[in-house]
Amino acid sequence: MRIAKIGMRTVKTVIAVLLTLGVSEIFKLSSPLLASIAAIMTIESSIAESFTTGKNRIYGTILGGIIALIMSYIVPLNFFFIGIGLIILITICNMFKWSKAVRMAMIVFLSIALNYEGIARFNYAFDRTLDTLVGVIIGAAINYFIRPPDTEEKIKDIINSTYLDIKDILEKLIWNKEINKLEDLKNEITNIEEGYKIFTKDLKFYTGKNSNEIYYQKLFNSFEKIHNHLSVIYSIKELPVINDNNKDVIESYFNKEIPDIEYDEKDDLDLIYNYHLEKILSELAIVDSMI
């Protein structure tokens, strides 16, 4: 059985947990387990996601604790008022667009409402917030200072993969008359856009690093145009007549000849086909020169 390679994220997660447990022992935190869970959840695939996850856990913990404490001093926390409290939590999170903090807020709220009475409720809410804060700080710090995730490298990998897939799609279309579904290509283009958004968020945590915004925007636009032109071509017919200009460009690009096929006559669909094929080749040349 082949043993999988241990990744850096795994290593950082273990370091974060051990460090959190050590800090919990030194400062006698009430729940090293909860602090460790917060540290684990904060080790994300990007710096921005780490801080966002940590922020959401802290928001949820504080909000859940505050609502539980306020309601416990006003009304008896029976099933009816617990339901009201959950509705209040969800409403507040939606109001402030804290959608990813909702579950944590509800967990803390229910933990206090169902398990604690009197001063114990306040102590639990305070301890839970402190434990979460410690875990989040340690997890985010480990992810930031120990070999931080290279989100730009991931974008480049997706771009190269998308470029090769487009070449493969075009080659199969021209030489094999094979029409493939374009959903995978569309997903790759979407991944490039999403990856770039994460990369730009990560840049806020670094100084002097270039975002290469124009570079990635041009690549993204070219991939989008290629996808759109391919969609039109796929809707026409399987055996078009490729004009001489496109044929020369394609043969030069792939370094092999396109077999000659006799046709009775060319029609308007062939003109449409060659127009979109020319546009694909033009955008592909732009991508090729950039990467």
Side-chain angles (χ1 to χ4, degrees), residues 174-175 177 242 246-248 250-251 256-260:
I174 300 299
W175 276 273
K177 308 304 177 186
I242 301 176
N246 283 337
K247 184 178 179 181
D248 290 341
I250 293 170
E251 289 180 339
K256 61 179 180 178
E257 293 184 357
I258 300 174
D260 292 325

Side-chain angles (χ1 to χ4, degrees), residues 170 173-174 229-230 232-233 236 240-243 245-247 249-250 254 258 270-284:
L170 189 58
L173 175 68
I174 300 299
H229 289 302
L230 279 171
V232 175
I233 285 178
I236 298 176
V241 177
I242 301 176
N243 63 30
N245 184 54
N246 283 337
K247 184 178 179 181
V249 174
I250 293 170
F254 287 97
I258 300 174
D270 293 314
L271 296 176
I272 296 173
Y273 174 88
N274 279 284
Y275 168 80
H276 290 284
L277 183 59
E278 181 181 349
K279 293 297 183 181
I280 291 172
L281 295 172
S282 175
E283 295 298 333
L284 200 57

Side-chain angles (χ1 to χ4, degrees), residues 64-124:
I66 289 175
I67 297 300
L69 289 174
I70 291 175
M71 290 192 66
S72 69
Y73 293 129
I74 298 175
V75 296
L77 288 179
N78 53 36
F79 286 175
F80 175 76
F81 287 110
I82 285 175
I84 297 297
L86 293 176
I87 292 174
I88 292 173
L89 283 176
I90 295 172
T91 302
I92 292 175
C93 287
N94 288 337
M95 203 185 329
F96 289 98
K97 297 181 179 180
W98 296 346
S99 59
K100 293 186 178 180
V102 173
R103 285 183 291 182
M104 178 55 62
M106 294 172 73
I107 290 171
V108 173
F109 175 85
L110 290 172
S111 297
I112 295 174
L114 297 175
N115 298 313
Y116 295 91
E117 296 289 343
I119 191 65
R121 283 177 175 157
F122 178 83
N123 291 338
Y124 177 82

Side-chain angles (χ1 to χ4, degrees), residues 167-183:
K167 287 182 64 177
D168 183 63
I169 289 172
L170 189 58
E171 186 173 12
K172 288 179 178 178
L173 175 68
I174 300 299
W175 276 273
N176 301 336
K177 308 304 177 186
E178 183 179 326
I179 295 179
N180 298 314
K181 293 182 179 180
L182 296 178
E183 284 84 355

